[in-house]
Amino acid sequence: MLKRLTLRDFAVVPQSELEFGPGMTVISGETGAGKSLLVDALGFLSGLRADAGMVRHGAQRAELHAEFDPSAVPAALEWLREQEFDDGGACTLRRTLRADGGSRAWINGRPATLAQLAQLAGLLVEIHGQHEHQALLEKSSQLALLDAFGRHEPQLAAVRETAADWTTLLRERDALSRTGDVSERIDWLTHQLAELEREDLRPEAIDALVAGHRRQAHAAGLIAACDEALNGLAGDDGPSLVRRLQQLRGGLSRELAHEPRLGEVDAMLDSAAIQLDEASLLLQRVREELEIDPAQFEALDATLARLHELSRKHRVAPAELAACQAGFAAELEALRDAGTRLAGLQGEIDASAARWRKAADALGQARADAAARLSAATTALIAELGMGGGVFEVALEPVDAGRPDPQGGERAEFLVSANAGQPPRPLRRVASGGELSRVSLAIEVAALGSDTVPTMVFDEVDSGIGGAVAEIVGQKLRALGARCQVLCVTHLPQVAAQGHAHYLVSKADRDGQTRSAVRPLDAKERQEELARMLGGVEVSKEARAAAKRLLASTVD
């Protein structure tokens, strides 16, 4: 639930900090005092687009900070862990709105995107504005509300998954059907593969080919270099490095007794002699393998030329010809199997459609059960809200089942009859704003009772009602407050009297600027505020007595 909300330089609020507890908290004040600013602040903390007009005049930025207790919301705790925002069970949302139109957001002190802010806030708080009932006029919203009420997400996920599978198979079939006669493509691929398969395209084979070609191309120079090196190392013609090294070691050994360090030099020269011997042996092997072979060079040159020709033809490097060959082979196999695959696809499509039908039927049955429960609950509520004899129905209308629909096999239509004896009509055709407001509130109260969101915010959803109906609305909101935290901005004393706590928003002109302040009311102040709401500017004894009676009649 929401524990604390802090505002700074937000609209006409210089600074304010509010603490909230469980149950129902009401917020009241004179018209224009800024009662809905608290709701606006929560909206921005829930990811609404930044509005530079909400920055207090003369300030550079507005700062909003909300602290929640997520302990009763496992989904929020899991989200914090998955997104790496978890901080020992804490949950704070912070956002700044700059006067230049920019904004920044943080979750538990770490920078966050507006999308992340909206995702987390959606698990913690749900805001219902005084014009929100307009959304209920859309059929898509009505179906979504019914599914939320019935907790149909598992069934709906199954319907979406099977519909997606069907669509994927249908696209594959259409793609295969569009290919038409592929015999020419098969012939071309067969020819290309035959050319490629005649060559050894393994990378190591190509490297060996290039090295052999280079060796044959420079065979004469390599032979001369090897002969010269061998003669210089240990040849019989003239002085050699090996004999010269032996002479040097002999001369030093005669003086070894006079200078012990010469022993270290002799050891080094001995190692050098061993290295020279090994070099001579390796050089001899290389020389023995070298041979000027024009026929071999011609064969290597022809093979390398074919590889370069294939590389130019397929526009790839020689080392990539093997991958090109594999691609051609895969495409050829797919084309050869296209007819078989096309014939089998229809059976898979039919089976997929059958799976969707089964999932859609299960969802449809769940929706029918939920529709009956929501209809009964809302009908009972609208009767209590001054529409005796009124009826609310959730009608399920089948849609064309020609193809699997990810939303299921039906759509929902909310119907209402405001008076006994009148046939129910679509909610969107209810002419009276007051009736629409009451029906919408009844739907919200009936549906939200099972919502997992811990904090519900109502911004003057009681607009257009009064008297005994207003008192019943207050009672329903108070009852909802027993199951979750309820924040309610209201202008009705009958609703305000039902709150477990009461905040007053007031405004005053100071230094030529309008400023709003928010403060909690004690029992005496609360009675005075209710009297003002009842009696207007001049608060009479009768208004105070009526306010006292309202408070006294509040029961859980």
Side-chain angles (χ1 to χ4, degrees):
M1 70 174 187
L2 178 64
K3 296 172 60 179
R4 186 175 291 105
L5 179 64
T6 303
L7 315 179
R8 179 180 174 187
D9 293 329
F10 182 63
V12 292
V13 180
Q15 185 166 347
S16 183
E17 182 173 314
L18 295 83
E19 294 188 359
F20 299 95
M24 176 183 174
T25 298
V26 297
I27 301 165
S28 68
E30 294 182 358
T31 301
K35 299 187 295 296
S36 294
L37 286 177
L38 304 181
V39 180
D40 294 337
L42 288 174
F44 286 118
L45 286 168
S46 298
L48 290 181
R49 182 177 298 179
D51 183 356
M54 299 305 293
V55 180
R56 191 169 70 90
H57 179 69
Q60 294 183 346
R61 66 178 181 272
E63 295 191 11
L64 311 172
H65 185 279
E67 179 182 347
F68 289 87
D69 176 8
S71 59
V73 192
L77 293 173
E78 180 63 22
W79 187 93
L80 288 169
R81 283 192 292 269
E82 289 178 353
Q83 300 292 323
E84 298 183 351
F85 285 112
D86 51 316
D87 187 14
C91 184
T92 60
L93 309 184
R94 178 173 171 245
R95 189 174 181 189
T96 60
L97 309 176
R98 296 197 305 270
D100 62 4
S103 75
R104 295 182 63 190
W106 295 262
I107 296 175
N108 282 340
R110 300 166 196 164
T113 65
L114 288 187
Q116 289 173 321
L117 201 67
Q119 289 171 5
L120 178 56
L123 300 172
L124 298 170
V125 61
E126 191 167 298
I127 300 174
H128 296 268
Q130 56 183 310
H131 301 297
E132 191 206 7
H133 55 259
Q134 298 297 330
L136 290 177
L137 303 182
E138 300 294 333
K139 282 190 174 183
S140 58
S141 297
Q142 294 173 0
L143 184 63
L145 188 147
L146 177 64
D147 285 334
F149 174 75
R151 302 178 186 271
H152 298 152
E153 186 53 40
Q155 298 96 319
L156 190 55
V159 168
R160 289 171 179 159
E161 182 179 350
T162 52
D165 290 343
W166 182 89
T167 301
T168 300
L169 291 170
L170 191 67
R171 287 174 178 169
E172 183 182 357
R173 187 191 67 182
D174 292 344
L176 289 175
S177 299
R178 285 194 299 269
T179 58
D181 185 5
V182 295
S183 57
E184 291 185 6
R185 180 67 176 175
I186 289 177
D187 291 343
W188 183 86
L189 288 171
T190 302
H191 176 71
Q192 305 308 316
L193 278 173
E195 283 187 336
L196 292 168
E197 288 170 351
R198 283 195 289 267
E199 309 296 338
D200 189 346
L201 301 178
R202 293 172 301 141
E204 59 270 23
I206 293 177
D207 291 341
L209 173 67
V210 172
H213 182 271
R214 185 181 295 114
R215 188 164 49 247
Q216 275 297 319
H218 299 85
L222 287 170
I223 291 173
C226 287
D227 288 342
E228 182 180 356
L230 284 170
N231 189 54
L233 283 172
D236 296 329
D237 300 334
S240 68
L241 287 177
V242 173
R243 285 195 297 273
R244 181 58 181 156
L245 187 60
Q246 290 173 346
Q247 293 172 358
L248 290 174
R249 291 185 66 195
L252 290 174
S253 64
R254 290 191 291 271
E255 304 299 328
L256 182 61
H258 309 301
E259 174 53 70
R261 287 180 294 177
L262 292 178
E264 296 181 23
V265 175
D266 184 65
M268 294 178 185
L269 292 176
D270 183 49
S271 296
I274 294 172
Q275 294 293 323
L276 286 175
D277 288 341
E278 292 181 355
S280 296
L281 291 173
L282 178 58
L283 192 57
Q284 184 64 39
R285 287 198 299 271
V286 172
R287 173 63 187 85
E288 291 174 354
E289 293 174 1
L290 288 173
E291 181 182 2
I292 299 177
D293 188 344
Q296 183 185 15
F297 176 71
E298 184 177 347
L300 291 173
D301 192 59
T303 301
L304 196 59
R306 289 197 304 272
L307 290 181
H308 284 298
E309 178 62 27
L310 289 171
S311 296
R312 287 191 295 272
K313 180 177 182 179
H314 298 294
R315 299 181 180 180
V316 296
E320 298 172 348
L321 285 172
C324 184
Q325 178 185 356
F328 286 158
E331 184 183 355
L332 182 60
E333 182 180 1
L335 289 177
R336 284 172 174 168
D337 294 341
T340 304
R341 177 59 179 160
L342 188 59
L345 266 177
Q346 188 56 53
E348 292 186 32
I349 291 171
D350 293 340
S352 178
R355 289 193 297 272
W356 175 86
R357 171 48 59 192
K358 183 178 179 180
D361 288 345
L363 176 61
Q365 184 58 55
R367 281 173 169 168
D369 295 341
R373 289 186 284 113
L374 181 59
S375 298
T378 306
T379 296
L381 284 168
I382 63 175
E384 295 183 50
L385 295 178
M387 295 173 63
V391 175
F392 175 83
E393 293 180 5
V394 180
L396 295 177
E397 306 168 348
V399 295
D400 182 10
R403 55 186 299 156
D405 190 313
Q407 292 299 314
E410 57 280 315
R411 295 294 182 266
E413 175 82 67
F414 288 179
L415 309 176
V416 65
S417 171
N419 301 291
Q422 294 183 350
R425 294 186 300 157
L427 183 62
R428 64 181 182 274
R429 296 180 183 173
V430 174
S432 168
E435 290 176 349
L436 180 58
S437 178
R438 278 179 280 177
V439 171
S440 300
L441 182 58
I443 295 171
E444 289 167 355
V445 173
L448 292 174
S450 58
D451 206 313
T452 59
V453 177
T455 299
M456 301 288 173
V457 182
F458 294 89
D459 184 16
E460 296 195 22
V461 294
D462 49 16
S463 178
I465 60 176
V469 174
E471 185 173 354
I472 294 173
V473 169
Q475 292 171 355
K476 295 301 179 185
L477 291 173
R478 185 180 179 91
L480 188 60
R483 291 175 292 205
C484 63
Q485 185 185 43
V486 173
L487 309 181
C488 180
V489 176
T490 182
H491 65 284
L492 296 178
Q494 297 90 338
V495 174
Q498 297 294 329
H500 297 92
H502 195 146
Y503 276 96
L504 175 65
V505 180
S506 59
K507 66 176 181 179
D509 291 334
R510 185 180 303 173
D511 300 329
Q513 288 188 346
T514 299
R515 301 188 178 191
S516 289
V518 187
R519 62 183 181 87
L521 301 181
D522 58 26
K524 183 176 181 181
E525 292 172 329
R526 188 177 182 189
Q527 180 177 321
E528 193 68 15
E529 169 62 6
L530 291 179
R532 181 199 65 77
M533 297 171 74
L534 284 164
V537 178
E538 297 295 333
V539 180
S540 63
K541 292 181 179 180
E542 291 78 6
R544 290 189 174 93
K548 186 175 182 179
R549 287 193 299 272
L550 277 177
L551 290 171
S553 64
T554 301
V555 293
D556 289 316

